[in-house]
Amino acid sequence: MDRTRLALTAVAAVLALPLVTAAQHTRQTPYGDRFETFAAPAAGRTAVRIRGAVVEAYDSGTGARQWAYGRRGSRPLALRRAPGHAFALWADGMVTDTDTDTDTARGRGADGDTGTDTAHRRVRWHRAVPGLAGWLAGRPERAAGVLQALDPGARMLAVVAPGRVSAFRAADGDLRWLLTARDGCAFDPARTAHTRGVLLIARPCRDRGAWSRALAAVDALGEITEGRTPLGNGLPGEGRADGGGNRVAPPS
């Protein structure tokens, strides 16, 4: 009986090895990240584009590919570039930020061209927006306008979805503020405008009440309202250079 038990235990251990290995690999790439490095960045300007199912960086002068970032089971639908950042919106409702600085680690990962340690160095953060995947399903053109910069340097990124506007700090993906649509209303990412540091977003409502209800005005600190005292958006330990915590004059 003891020998039988030992034999069964040994067989179970052997069979479990592939599962353990697969589980470890899944933990290393929880979002299905696949990051492939082709060449070290040159002295020229690095450009970023969507090419097929990946976000790709390339030398704008020579066209040489530098790296490609993809995610298993999804594909990028929209891309917004900012200094040092490439924000991407994916079909499964995920938003990612990829580091585009040329002095970021350039080597290949431990497992070859698609090394997970390279991906961890280059992909800063992932954020899922509730309901966005369902709204985008079968309508990839809706992705246009979803990603919006909230300041000139894109230190804050807004993700505009019908039910909410989510604002993330670019440096670390921290959710800084959230604006939900009012009952009977929905934000329209396709109808936005920037003016004097303010993002205007169409918010049509079923009851067609006052015109002001059909329009939302936001900036890096949140919805613009009279006498607001917003939180700041700086990283821990930074000063309040963005004006957070100070009273804001009514919009003119």
Side-chain angles (χ1 to χ4, degrees):
M1 182 65 68
D2 290 343
R3 292 180 178 177
T4 301
R5 289 176 179 171
L6 287 173
L8 292 174
T9 301
V11 171
V14 171
L15 293 176
L17 283 176
L19 298 178
V20 172
T21 302
Q24 290 174 344
H25 181 72
T26 301
R27 285 195 299 270
Q28 291 173 349
T29 57
Y31 301 101
D33 289 349
R34 305 288 293 179
F35 200 98
E36 189 171 5
T37 303
F38 299 102
R45 180 177 176 83
T46 296
V48 182
R49 63 191 173 193
I50 292 176
R51 188 174 185 179
V54 301
V55 176
E56 180 182 83
Y58 63 99
D59 187 298
S60 59
T62 65
R65 301 174 73 190
Q66 296 175 357
W67 52 258
Y69 168 48
R71 296 179 53 240
R72 288 188 296 272
S74 192
R75 62 189 181 94
L77 300 180
L79 185 66
R80 181 166 290 277
R81 176 74 190 271
H85 300 266
F87 305 107
L89 171 64
W90 301 77
D92 61 358
M94 189 74 71
V95 177
T96 63
D97 176 29
T98 308
D99 185 354
T100 62
D101 285 339
T102 57
D103 58 354
T104 302
R106 302 174 181 179
R108 297 177 186 269
D111 61 346
D113 289 350
T114 55
T116 56
D117 60 337
T118 301
H120 287 171
R121 287 195 297 266
R122 299 303 295 261
V123 184
R124 285 192 180 94
W125 46 262
H126 307 70
R127 295 294 180 267
V129 178
L132 194 52
W135 184 71
L136 292 170
R139 300 287 299 275
E141 71 277 5
R142 286 179 167 177
V146 171
L147 302 180
Q148 296 284 343
L150 289 173
D151 49 64
R155 295 181 300 272
M156 289 289 295
L157 177 76
V159 181
V160 183
R164 61 177 58 80
V165 179
S166 310
F168 300 97
R169 186 167 56 203
D172 57 2
D174 187 52
L175 177 64
R176 301 306 299 163
W177 55 261
L178 184 69
L179 177 63
T180 57
R182 300 175 180 178
D183 290 342
C185 305
F187 296 110
D188 186 353
R191 293 191 288 164
T192 63
H194 288 266
T195 177
R196 297 183 180 181
V198 175
L199 173 64
L200 302 176
I201 309 170
R203 182 176 53 191
C205 304
R206 289 196 299 267
D207 59 10
R208 297 180 180 274
W211 70 267
S212 58
R213 291 192 61 199
L215 188 68
V218 302
D219 61 11
L221 297 172
E223 185 176 20
I224 298 175
T225 58
E226 184 175 355
R228 66 177 182 170
T229 54
L231 297 173
N233 293 322
L235 291 165
E238 289 183 348
R240 304 298 289 275
D242 58 8
N246 299 324
R247 295 183 66 83
V248 178
S252 57

PDB file of all heavy atoms in Angstrom, residues 14-49:
ATOM      1  N   VAL A  14       4.789  14.813 -11.039  1.00  0.00           N
ATOM      2  CA  VAL A  14       5.268  14.995 -12.407  1.00  0.00           C
ATOM      3  C   VAL A  14       4.214  15.676 -13.269  1.00  0.00           C
ATOM      4  O   VAL A  14       4.508  16.585 -14.060  1.00  0.00           O
ATOM      5  CB  VAL A  14       5.669  13.635 -13.017  1.00  0.00           C
ATOM      6  CG1 VAL A  14       5.950  13.789 -14.501  1.00  0.00           C
ATOM      7  CG2 VAL A  14       6.885  13.078 -12.297  1.00  0.00           C
ATOM      8  N   LEU A  15       2.959  15.234 -13.122  1.00  0.00           N
ATOM      9  CA  LEU A  15       1.881  15.825 -13.908  1.00  0.00           C
ATOM     10  C   LEU A  15       1.639  17.276 -13.541  1.00  0.00           C
ATOM     11  O   LEU A  15       1.193  18.076 -14.377  1.00  0.00           O
ATOM     12  CB  LEU A  15       0.586  15.019 -13.715  1.00  0.00           C
ATOM     13  CG  LEU A  15       0.585  13.603 -14.287  1.00  0.00           C
ATOM     14  CD1 LEU A  15      -0.721  12.901 -13.935  1.00  0.00           C
ATOM     15  CD2 LEU A  15       0.777  13.634 -15.808  1.00  0.00           C
ATOM     16  N   ALA A  16       1.933  17.632 -12.299  1.00  0.00           N
ATOM     17  CA  ALA A  16       1.681  19.002 -11.847  1.00  0.00           C
ATOM     18  C   ALA A  16       2.722  19.983 -12.330  1.00  0.00           C
ATOM     19  O   ALA A  16       2.481  21.189 -12.368  1.00  0.00           O
ATOM     20  CB  ALA A  16       1.622  19.047 -10.311  1.00  0.00           C
ATOM     21  N   LEU A  17       3.896  19.510 -12.734  1.00  0.00           N
ATOM     22  CA  LEU A  17       4.977  20.414 -13.133  1.00  0.00           C
ATOM     23  C   LEU A  17       4.582  21.357 -14.263  1.00  0.00           C
ATOM     24  O   LEU A  17       4.852  22.566 -14.190  1.00  0.00           O
ATOM     25  CB  LEU A  17       6.217  19.602 -13.523  1.00  0.00           C
ATOM     26  CG  LEU A  17       7.037  19.041 -12.357  1.00  0.00           C
ATOM     27  CD1 LEU A  17       8.163  18.173 -12.889  1.00  0.00           C
ATOM     28  CD2 LEU A  17       7.598  20.165 -11.486  1.00  0.00           C
ATOM     29  N   PRO A  18       3.960  20.865 -15.349  1.00  0.00           N
ATOM     30  CA  PRO A  18       3.562  21.801 -16.408  1.00  0.00           C
ATOM     31  C   PRO A  18       2.585  22.854 -15.922  1.00  0.00           C
ATOM     32  O   PRO A  18       2.619  23.990 -16.365  1.00  0.00           O
ATOM     33  CB  PRO A  18       2.928  20.892 -17.472  1.00  0.00           C
ATOM     34  CG  PRO A  18       3.502  19.536 -17.203  1.00  0.00           C
ATOM     35  CD  PRO A  18       3.669  19.465 -15.714  1.00  0.00           C
ATOM     36  N   LEU A  19       1.687  22.452 -14.985  1.00  0.00           N
ATOM     37  CA  LEU A  19       0.704  23.400 -14.465  1.00  0.00           C
ATOM     38  C   LEU A  19       1.376  24.466 -13.627  1.00  0.00           C
ATOM     39  O   LEU A  19       1.032  25.649 -13.705  1.00  0.00           O
ATOM     40  CB  LEU A  19      -0.348  22.653 -13.624  1.00  0.00           C
ATOM     41  CG  LEU A  19      -1.176  21.624 -14.374  1.00  0.00           C
ATOM     42  CD1 LEU A  19      -2.147  20.933 -13.424  1.00  0.00           C
ATOM     43  CD2 LEU A  19      -1.930  22.268 -15.528  1.00  0.00           C
ATOM     44  N   VAL A  20       2.351  24.062 -12.818  1.00  0.00           N
ATOM     45  CA  VAL A  20       3.084  25.021 -11.992  1.00  0.00           C
ATOM     46  C   VAL A  20       3.847  25.994 -12.874  1.00  0.00           C
ATOM     47  O   VAL A  20       3.844  27.204 -12.670  1.00  0.00           O
ATOM     48  CB  VAL A  20       4.049  24.294 -11.027  1.00  0.00           C
ATOM     49  CG1 VAL A  20       4.940  25.303 -10.314  1.00  0.00           C
ATOM     50  CG2 VAL A  20       3.260  23.470 -10.020  1.00  0.00           C
ATOM     51  N   THR A  21       4.507  25.450 -13.906  1.00  0.00           N
ATOM     52  CA  THR A  21       5.258  26.298 -14.838  1.00  0.00           C
ATOM     53  C   THR A  21       4.341  27.284 -15.536  1.00  0.00           C
ATOM     54  O   THR A  21       4.651  28.468 -15.675  1.00  0.00           O
ATOM     55  CB  THR A  21       5.985  25.433 -15.879  1.00  0.00           C
ATOM     56  OG1 THR A  21       6.847  24.518 -15.199  1.00  0.00           O
ATOM     57  CG2 THR A  21       6.790  26.302 -16.834  1.00  0.00           C
ATOM     58  N   ALA A  22       3.180  26.806 -15.973  1.00  0.00           N
ATOM     59  CA  ALA A  22       2.220  27.680 -16.651  1.00  0.00           C
ATOM     60  C   ALA A  22       1.712  28.758 -15.707  1.00  0.00           C
ATOM     61  O   ALA A  22       1.557  29.922 -16.095  1.00  0.00           O
ATOM     62  CB  ALA A  22       1.045  26.857 -17.190  1.00  0.00           C
ATOM     63  N   ALA A  23       1.457  28.392 -14.445  1.00  0.00           N
ATOM     64  CA  ALA A  23       0.973  29.371 -13.477  1.00  0.00           C
ATOM     65  C   ALA A  23       2.011  30.445 -13.221  1.00  0.00           C
ATOM     66  O   ALA A  23       1.705  31.636 -13.123  1.00  0.00           O
ATOM     67  CB  ALA A  23       0.609  28.673 -12.166  1.00  0.00           C
ATOM     68  N   GLN A  24       3.296  30.044 -13.134  1.00  0.00           N
ATOM     69  CA  GLN A  24       4.349  31.021 -12.926  1.00  0.00           C
ATOM     70  C   GLN A  24       4.447  31.972 -14.116  1.00  0.00           C
ATOM     71  O   GLN A  24       4.611  33.173 -13.960  1.00  0.00           O
ATOM     72  CB  GLN A  24       5.684  30.307 -12.710  1.00  0.00           C
ATOM     73  CG  GLN A  24       5.772  29.573 -11.371  1.00  0.00           C
ATOM     74  CD  GLN A  24       7.048  28.760 -11.238  1.00  0.00           C
ATOM     75  OE1 GLN A  24       7.723  28.494 -12.231  1.00  0.00           O
ATOM     76  NE2 GLN A  24       7.370  28.355 -10.026  1.00  0.00           N
ATOM     77  N   HIS A  25       4.328  31.429 -15.330  1.00  0.00           N
ATOM     78  CA  HIS A  25       4.400  32.267 -16.525  1.00  0.00           C
ATOM     79  C   HIS A  25       3.229  33.244 -16.559  1.00  0.00           C
ATOM     80  O   HIS A  25       3.378  34.412 -16.929  1.00  0.00           O
ATOM     81  CB  HIS A  25       4.396  31.397 -17.779  1.00  0.00           C
ATOM     82  CG  HIS A  25       4.503  32.191 -19.046  1.00  0.00           C
ATOM     83  ND1 HIS A  25       5.665  32.811 -19.438  1.00  0.00           N
ATOM     84  CD2 HIS A  25       3.584  32.485 -19.984  1.00  0.00           C
ATOM     85  CE1 HIS A  25       5.465  33.442 -20.577  1.00  0.00           C
ATOM     86  NE2 HIS A  25       4.204  33.262 -20.922  1.00  0.00           N
ATOM     87  N   THR A  26       2.034  32.778 -16.132  1.00  0.00           N
ATOM     88  CA  THR A  26       0.870  33.645 -16.106  1.00  0.00           C
ATOM     89  C   THR A  26       1.072  34.788 -15.126  1.00  0.00           C
ATOM     90  O   THR A  26       0.715  35.925 -15.394  1.00  0.00           O
ATOM     91  CB  THR A  26      -0.384  32.837 -15.726  1.00  0.00           C
ATOM     92  OG1 THR A  26      -0.566  31.792 -16.680  1.00  0.00           O
ATOM     93  CG2 THR A  26      -1.621  33.722 -15.703  1.00  0.00           C
ATOM     94  N   ARG A  27       1.660  34.506 -13.976  1.00  0.00           N
ATOM     95  CA  ARG A  27       1.903  35.562 -13.004  1.00  0.00           C
ATOM     96  C   ARG A  27       2.887  36.591 -13.546  1.00  0.00           C
ATOM     97  O   ARG A  27       2.793  37.769 -13.247  1.00  0.00           O
ATOM     98  CB  ARG A  27       2.438  34.961 -11.703  1.00  0.00           C
ATOM     99  CG  ARG A  27       1.375  34.260 -10.867  1.00  0.00           C
ATOM    100  CD  ARG A  27       1.889  34.037  -9.464  1.00  0.00           C
ATOM    101  NE  ARG A  27       3.069  33.191  -9.424  1.00  0.00           N
ATOM    102  CZ  ARG A  27       3.022  31.877  -9.312  1.00  0.00           C
ATOM    103  NH1 ARG A  27       1.857  31.254  -9.256  1.00  0.00           N
ATOM    104  NH2 ARG A  27       4.138  31.165  -9.271  1.00  0.00           N
ATOM    105  N   GLN A  28       3.832  36.161 -14.361  1.00  0.00           N
ATOM    106  CA  GLN A  28       4.814  37.083 -14.901  1.00  0.00           C
ATOM    107  C   GLN A  28       4.202  38.022 -15.946  1.00  0.00           C
ATOM    108  O   GLN A  28       4.640  39.152 -16.100  1.00  0.00           O
ATOM    109  CB  GLN A  28       5.969  36.303 -15.526  1.00  0.00           C
ATOM    110  CG  GLN A  28       6.831  35.568 -14.500  1.00  0.00           C
ATOM    111  CD  GLN A  28       7.846  34.674 -15.171  1.00  0.00           C
ATOM    112  OE1 GLN A  28       7.790  34.433 -16.370  1.00  0.00           O
ATOM    113  NE2 GLN A  28       8.791  34.156 -14.397  1.00  0.00           N
ATOM    114  N   THR A  29       3.196  37.547 -16.661  1.00  0.00           N
ATOM    115  CA  THR A  29       2.543  38.368 -17.683  1.00  0.00           C
ATOM    116  C   THR A  29       1.029  38.345 -17.451  1.00  0.00           C
ATOM    117  O   THR A  29       0.286  37.758 -18.235  1.00  0.00           O
ATOM    118  CB  THR A  29       2.882  37.865 -19.093  1.00  0.00           C
ATOM    119  OG1 THR A  29       2.488  36.474 -19.195  1.00  0.00           O
ATOM    120  CG2 THR A  29       4.353  37.985 -19.387  1.00  0.00           C
ATOM    121  N   PRO A  30       0.557  38.979 -16.369  1.00  0.00           N
ATOM    122  CA  PRO A  30      -0.862  38.892 -16.032  1.00  0.00           C
ATOM    123  C   PRO A  30      -1.787  39.548 -17.039  1.00  0.00           C
ATOM    124  O   PRO A  30      -2.969  39.266 -17.067  1.00  0.00           O
ATOM    125  CB  PRO A  30      -0.934  39.609 -14.671  1.00  0.00           C
ATOM    126  CG  PRO A  30       0.252  40.510 -14.655  1.00  0.00           C
ATOM    127  CD  PRO A  30       1.316  39.780 -15.412  1.00  0.00           C
ATOM    128  N   TYR A  31      -1.267  40.434 -17.886  1.00  0.00           N
ATOM    129  CA  TYR A  31      -2.109  41.097 -18.873  1.00  0.00           C
ATOM    130  C   TYR A  31      -1.843  40.587 -20.284  1.00  0.00           C
ATOM    131  O   TYR A  31      -2.266  41.214 -21.253  1.00  0.00           O
ATOM    132  CB  TYR A  31      -1.879  42.608 -18.818  1.00  0.00           C
ATOM    133  CG  TYR A  31      -2.170  43.193 -17.457  1.00  0.00           C
ATOM    134  CD1 TYR A  31      -1.135  43.486 -16.572  1.00  0.00           C
ATOM    135  CD2 TYR A  31      -3.478  43.447 -17.037  1.00  0.00           C
ATOM    136  CE1 TYR A  31      -1.387  44.016 -15.317  1.00  0.00           C
ATOM    137  CE2 TYR A  31      -3.735  43.974 -15.788  1.00  0.00           C
ATOM    138  CZ  TYR A  31      -2.691  44.256 -14.932  1.00  0.00           C
ATOM    139  OH  TYR A  31      -2.945  44.776 -13.687  1.00  0.00           O
ATOM    140  N   GLY A  32      -1.137  39.491 -20.406  1.00  0.00           N
ATOM    141  CA  GLY A  32      -0.823  38.947 -21.718  1.00  0.00           C
ATOM    142  C   GLY A  32       0.183  39.761 -22.489  1.00  0.00           C
ATOM    143  O   GLY A  32       0.227  39.708 -23.725  1.00  0.00           O
ATOM    144  N   ASP A  33       1.018  40.516 -21.781  1.00  0.00           N
ATOM    145  CA  ASP A  33       1.981  41.385 -22.455  1.00  0.00           C
ATOM    146  C   ASP A  33       3.005  40.587 -23.258  1.00  0.00           C
ATOM    147  O   ASP A  33       3.535  39.586 -22.793  1.00  0.00           O
ATOM    148  CB  ASP A  33       2.728  42.248 -21.433  1.00  0.00           C
ATOM    149  CG  ASP A  33       1.849  43.321 -20.825  1.00  0.00           C
ATOM    150  OD1 ASP A  33       0.739  43.528 -21.331  1.00  0.00           O
ATOM    151  OD2 ASP A  33       2.287  43.957 -19.857  1.00  0.00           O
ATOM    152  N   ARG A  34       3.273  41.081 -24.452  1.00  0.00           N
ATOM    153  CA  ARG A  34       4.336  40.540 -25.294  1.00  0.00           C
ATOM    154  C   ARG A  34       5.140  41.717 -25.807  1.00  0.00           C
ATOM    155  O   ARG A  34       4.651  42.514 -26.606  1.00  0.00           O
ATOM    156  CB  ARG A  34       3.763  39.733 -26.467  1.00  0.00           C
ATOM    157  CG  ARG A  34       2.816  38.600 -26.058  1.00  0.00           C
ATOM    158  CD  ARG A  34       3.566  37.456 -25.417  1.00  0.00           C
ATOM    159  NE  ARG A  34       4.427  36.783 -26.364  1.00  0.00           N
ATOM    160  CZ  ARG A  34       5.207  35.752 -26.051  1.00  0.00           C
ATOM    161  NH1 ARG A  34       5.245  35.313 -24.795  1.00  0.00           N
ATOM    162  NH2 ARG A  34       5.966  35.177 -26.959  1.00  0.00           N
ATOM    163  N   PHE A  35       6.374  41.849 -25.342  1.00  0.00           N
ATOM    164  CA  PHE A  35       7.207  42.988 -25.709  1.00  0.00           C
ATOM    165  C   PHE A  35       8.420  42.491 -26.480  1.00  0.00           C
ATOM    166  O   PHE A  35       9.196  41.696 -25.976  1.00  0.00           O
ATOM    167  CB  PHE A  35       7.652  43.752 -24.462  1.00  0.00           C
ATOM    168  CG  PHE A  35       8.099  45.151 -24.744  1.00  0.00           C
ATOM    169  CD1 PHE A  35       7.240  46.214 -24.551  1.00  0.00           C
ATOM    170  CD2 PHE A  35       9.373  45.406 -25.233  1.00  0.00           C
ATOM    171  CE1 PHE A  35       7.635  47.514 -24.823  1.00  0.00           C
ATOM    172  CE2 PHE A  35       9.782  46.695 -25.514  1.00  0.00           C
ATOM    173  CZ  PHE A  35       8.912  47.756 -25.306  1.00  0.00           C
ATOM    174  N   GLU A  36       8.569  42.961 -27.698  1.00  0.00           N
ATOM    175  CA  GLU A  36       9.637  42.487 -28.574  1.00  0.00           C
ATOM    176  C   GLU A  36      10.563  43.644 -28.936  1.00  0.00           C
ATOM    177  O   GLU A  36      10.108  44.701 -29.391  1.00  0.00           O
ATOM    178  CB  GLU A  36       9.043  41.879 -29.846  1.00  0.00           C
ATOM    179  CG  GLU A  36      10.052  41.157 -30.714  1.00  0.00           C
ATOM    180  CD  GLU A  36       9.368  40.401 -31.835  1.00  0.00           C
ATOM    181  OE1 GLU A  36       8.132  40.516 -31.976  1.00  0.00           O
ATOM    182  OE2 GLU A  36      10.069  39.708 -32.582  1.00  0.00           O
ATOM    183  N   THR A  37      11.863  43.458 -28.709  1.00  0.00           N
ATOM    184  CA  THR A  37      12.859  44.477 -29.017  1.00  0.00           C
ATOM    185  C   THR A  37      13.603  44.104 -30.296  1.00  0.00           C
ATOM    186  O   THR A  37      14.060  42.979 -30.431  1.00  0.00           O
ATOM    187  CB  THR A  37      13.866  44.620 -27.864  1.00  0.00           C
ATOM    188  OG1 THR A  37      13.157  44.935 -26.663  1.00  0.00           O
ATOM    189  CG2 THR A  37      14.878  45.711 -28.159  1.00  0.00           C
ATOM    190  N   PHE A  38      13.745  45.054 -31.208  1.00  0.00           N
ATOM    191  CA  PHE A  38      14.421  44.798 -32.484  1.00  0.00           C
ATOM    192  C   PHE A  38      15.778  45.474 -32.571  1.00  0.00           C
ATOM    193  O   PHE A  38      16.734  44.893 -33.036  1.00  0.00           O
ATOM    194  CB  PHE A  38      13.551  45.276 -33.651  1.00  0.00           C
ATOM    195  CG  PHE A  38      12.229  44.588 -33.723  1.00  0.00           C
ATOM    196  CD1 PHE A  38      11.077  45.223 -33.274  1.00  0.00           C
ATOM    197  CD2 PHE A  38      12.117  43.305 -34.215  1.00  0.00           C
ATOM    198  CE1 PHE A  38       9.846  44.594 -33.331  1.00  0.00           C
ATOM    199  CE2 PHE A  38      10.892  42.664 -34.273  1.00  0.00           C
ATOM    200  CZ  PHE A  38       9.757  43.303 -33.828  1.00  0.00           C
ATOM    201  N   ALA A  39      15.869  46.730 -32.147  1.00  0.00           N
ATOM    202  CA  ALA A  39      17.126  47.466 -32.265  1.00  0.00           C
ATOM    203  C   ALA A  39      17.173  48.545 -31.201  1.00  0.00           C
ATOM    204  O   ALA A  39      16.130  49.058 -30.778  1.00  0.00           O
ATOM    205  CB  ALA A  39      17.259  48.096 -33.651  1.00  0.00           C
ATOM    206  N   ALA A  40      18.375  48.883 -30.778  1.00  0.00           N
ATOM    207  CA  ALA A  40      18.545  49.962 -29.816  1.00  0.00           C
ATOM    208  C   ALA A  40      18.130  51.278 -30.457  1.00  0.00           C
ATOM    209  O   ALA A  40      18.391  51.508 -31.641  1.00  0.00           O
ATOM    210  CB  ALA A  40      19.999  50.026 -29.353  1.00  0.00           C
ATOM    211  N   PRO A  41      17.463  52.161 -29.713  1.00  0.00           N
ATOM    212  CA  PRO A  41      17.057  53.445 -30.281  1.00  0.00           C
ATOM    213  C   PRO A  41      18.251  54.220 -30.819  1.00  0.00           C
ATOM    214  O   PRO A  41      19.304  54.271 -30.195  1.00  0.00           O
ATOM    215  CB  PRO A  41      16.412  54.166 -29.093  1.00  0.00           C
ATOM    216  CG  PRO A  41      16.005  53.069 -28.158  1.00  0.00           C
ATOM    217  CD  PRO A  41      17.042  51.997 -28.328  1.00  0.00           C
ATOM    218  N   ALA A  42      18.084  54.808 -31.978  1.00  0.00           N
ATOM    219  CA  ALA A  42      19.150  55.613 -32.583  1.00  0.00           C
ATOM    220  C   ALA A  42      19.032  57.049 -32.096  1.00  0.00           C
ATOM    221  O   ALA A  42      18.178  57.389 -31.299  1.00  0.00           O
ATOM    222  CB  ALA A  42      19.047  55.537 -34.098  1.00  0.00           C
ATOM    223  N   ALA A  43      19.906  57.889 -32.604  1.00  0.00           N
ATOM    224  CA  ALA A  43      19.912  59.285 -32.178  1.00  0.00           C
ATOM    225  C   ALA A  43      18.733  60.065 -32.747  1.00  0.00           C
ATOM    226  O   ALA A  43      18.412  61.145 -32.273  1.00  0.00           O
ATOM    227  CB  ALA A  43      21.216  59.945 -32.607  1.00  0.00           C
ATOM    228  N   GLY A  44      18.088  59.521 -33.760  1.00  0.00           N
ATOM    229  CA  GLY A  44      16.972  60.210 -34.386  1.00  0.00           C
ATOM    230  C   GLY A  44      15.720  60.170 -33.540  1.00  0.00           C
ATOM    231  O   GLY A  44      15.680  59.616 -32.446  1.00  0.00           O
ATOM    232  N   ARG A  45      14.666  60.749 -34.063  1.00  0.00           N
ATOM    233  CA  ARG A  45      13.399  60.843 -33.359  1.00  0.00           C
ATOM    234  C   ARG A  45      12.656  59.510 -33.407  1.00  0.00           C
ATOM    235  O   ARG A  45      12.528  58.897 -34.469  1.00  0.00           O
ATOM    236  CB  ARG A  45      12.538  61.939 -33.977  1.00  0.00           C
ATOM    237  CG  ARG A  45      11.186  62.122 -33.318  1.00  0.00           C
ATOM    238  CD  ARG A  45      10.423  63.279 -33.941  1.00  0.00           C
ATOM    239  NE  ARG A  45       9.086  63.406 -33.389  1.00  0.00           N
ATOM    240  CZ  ARG A  45       8.798  64.027 -32.257  1.00  0.00           C
ATOM    241  NH1 ARG A  45       9.784  64.560 -31.556  1.00  0.00           N
ATOM    242  NH2 ARG A  45       7.563  64.121 -31.822  1.00  0.00           N
ATOM    243  N   THR A  46      12.151  59.084 -32.273  1.00  0.00           N
ATOM    244  CA  THR A  46      11.365  57.857 -32.200  1.00  0.00           C
ATOM    245  C   THR A  46       9.894  58.184 -32.390  1.00  0.00           C
ATOM    246  O   THR A  46       9.350  59.074 -31.726  1.00  0.00           O
ATOM    247  CB  THR A  46      11.560  57.156 -30.844  1.00  0.00           C
ATOM    248  OG1 THR A  46      12.925  56.750 -30.716  1.00  0.00           O
ATOM    249  CG2 THR A  46      10.664  55.928 -30.743  1.00  0.00           C
ATOM    250  N   ALA A  47       9.244  57.488 -33.306  1.00  0.00           N
ATOM    251  CA  ALA A  47       7.814  57.647 -33.550  1.00  0.00           C
ATOM    252  C   ALA A  47       7.097  56.376 -33.100  1.00  0.00           C
ATOM    253  O   ALA A  47       7.704  55.312 -33.000  1.00  0.00           O
ATOM    254  CB  ALA A  47       7.559  57.925 -35.025  1.00  0.00           C
ATOM    255  N   VAL A  48       5.814  56.501 -32.835  1.00  0.00           N
ATOM    256  CA  VAL A  48       5.013  55.366 -32.362  1.00  0.00           C
ATOM    257  C   VAL A  48       3.743  55.301 -33.193  1.00  0.00           C
ATOM    258  O   VAL A  48       3.152  56.330 -33.533  1.00  0.00           O
ATOM    259  CB  VAL A  48       4.672  55.514 -30.866  1.00  0.00           C
ATOM    260  CG1 VAL A  48       3.877  54.300 -30.382  1.00  0.00           C
ATOM    261  CG2 VAL A  48       5.934  55.658 -30.031  1.00  0.00           C
ATOM    262  N   ARG A  49       3.334  54.079 -33.535  1.00  0.00           N
ATOM    263  CA  ARG A  49       2.132  53.892 -34.331  1.00  0.00           C
ATOM    264  C   ARG A  49       1.490  52.552 -33.976  1.00  0.00           C
ATOM    265  O   ARG A  49       2.095  51.703 -33.337  1.00  0.00           O
ATOM    266  CB  ARG A  49       2.470  53.909 -35.812  1.00  0.00           C
ATOM    267  CG  ARG A  49       3.392  52.754 -36.242  1.00  0.00           C
ATOM    268  CD  ARG A  49       3.921  52.920 -37.640  1.00  0.00           C
ATOM    269  NE  ARG A  49       4.923  51.898 -37.968  1.00  0.00           N
ATOM    270  CZ  ARG A  49       5.720  51.964 -39.026  1.00  0.00           C
ATOM    271  NH1 ARG A  49       5.637  53.003 -39.859  1.00  0.00           N
ATOM    272  NH2 ARG A  49       6.609  51.009 -39.266  1.00  0.00           N
TER     273      ARG A  49
END
